[in-house]
Amino acid sequence: RPVGPTGGWRRQAASRDEEALPLLRIGARSDLRARYNLGVTLFNLGRYEEAIAEADRAIALAKLTSNRNMWYRALTNKISAHAELGDVTAAEATYREAEALGRELPAGMLDPHLLALRRAKIELVRGQPEEARRRMDEVVAAFSDPQRAGGMLANALQLRAEALDRLGESVAALADIQAALPIAQRLQGGRPHSLRAGQLWLLSARIRRDAGDVARSRADAAQAEEHLRMMLDEEHPDRRLSRALAAS
């Protein structure tokens, strides 16, 4: 989708990521980190095909410059985009490539939990929530101080909540969301909205609706929409769902 006043994505004035796109595109012409960041930004905006294309460009540049660390990071972003598109075959192939590359990198260069999160996402897409839950149990247990944890723990809690919900354990799923929300809010810093918080509130709204708690689902969906409307285009699937749940 084009970026501009007549494009489908009209959130420049409100979305920090969308505002950054023009500058990122300029920098990405020759700068590997800018190109990687552009791919992450496009992923965060739900533009998964574009995120994959940018990841491929970052990977090509990383290979050219022998930057295996950025090569690895671009692969992990590509895994996420394929998984969001439901392309398990491509996600699995990219996962194996990242796993093999990770074995070549110094241990201190990698976050040991990053690929575990990507694996859990693939397992959820494959319809294997028990495997995803078990994997996220290990990641969550690795953080002894949630007050000092960052986005990795919030993401693990969100993925585990999704797995628990699919396993019929809605109370435990909602508890994970409530544990993740303070982390998401802390990571917002001084900003009033965040994509992560919006997605957590939306997941909570959906789980509560499925459990028959319509009033609380509606309230959580309104919270989700408050965040997501500042981050995503109104036709994004998460926006459509948040509006539908808030209005029902």
Side-chain angles (χ1 to χ4, degrees):
R1 297 180 177 93
V3 175
T6 61
W9 291 79
R10 301 176 179 175
R11 314 307 303 175
Q12 290 94 328
S15 168
R16 183 171 53 91
D17 280 340
E18 189 77 42
E19 286 176 344
L21 278 178
L23 291 176
L24 284 171
R25 290 190 189 281
I26 293 170
R29 292 172 187 167
S30 59
D31 184 83
L32 173 55
R33 184 170 296 276
R35 188 166 290 288
Y36 165 77
N37 288 337
L38 174 56
V40 172
T41 296
L42 290 164
F43 175 85
N44 288 339
L45 291 169
R47 297 161 65 165
Y48 303 123
E49 294 92 347
E50 293 175 73
I52 291 168
E54 286 302 330
D56 283 336
R57 295 184 184 103
I59 289 166
L61 188 54
K63 290 178 179 179
L64 185 65
T65 57
S66 301
N67 190 328
R68 291 186 297 171
N69 181 40
M70 293 303 296
W71 178 3
Y72 176 85
R73 293 173 66 183
L75 283 171
T76 63
N77 194 47
K78 189 177 174 182
I79 295 167
S80 298
H82 280 308
E84 290 293 340
L85 290 169
D87 190 343
V88 174
T89 300
E92 289 275 11
T94 309
Y95 178 90
R96 289 192 296 272
E97 185 179 353
E99 189 177 40
L101 181 60
R103 287 193 289 266
E104 301 176 9
L105 296 174
M109 189 177 291
L110 302 178
D111 188 313
H113 307 305
L114 184 56
L115 273 188
L117 266 66
R118 301 298 185 265
R119 185 78 235 166
K121 183 63 179 181
I122 293 172
E123 287 164 346
L124 286 173
V125 175
R126 289 176 64 90
Q128 300 171 321
E130 185 58 54
E131 287 82 351
R133 175 197 182 167
R134 186 163 48 248
R135 198 175 301 277
M136 291 302 93
D137 283 344
E138 295 175 0
V139 174
V140 171
F143 291 89
S144 58
D145 185 1
Q147 296 302 316
R148 301 183 62 184
M152 189 71 70
L153 177 56
N155 290 342
L157 288 166
Q158 181 175 346
L159 283 168
R160 190 169 71 173
E162 292 180 32
L164 287 164
D165 176 49
R166 297 188 192 187
L167 291 167
E169 299 182 38
S170 60
V171 174
L174 289 169
D176 272 355
I177 293 170
Q178 290 303 308
L181 275 168
I183 301 172
Q185 290 161 359
R186 187 174 69 248
L187 292 174
Q188 287 174 221
R191 299 186 302 275
H193 308 97
S194 83
L195 182 61
R196 180 182 281 112
Q199 290 171 336
L200 286 166
W201 281 116
L202 182 58
L203 179 58
S204 180
R206 184 173 58 75
I207 292 172
R208 292 190 191 281
R209 177 54 58 94
D210 291 345
D213 191 347
V214 176
R216 295 185 71 180
S217 171
R218 188 181 298 120
D220 287 356
Q223 289 273 15
E225 176 64 7
E226 180 65 22
H227 286 272
L228 296 178
R229 70 183 180 86
M230 306 303 292
M231 309 302 295
L232 299 174
D233 181 79
E234 62 182 10
E235 294 306 313
H236 189 282
D238 286 351
R239 289 288 315 284
R240 293 201 299 268
L241 180 58
S242 66
R243 291 197 305 272
L245 291 176
S248 62

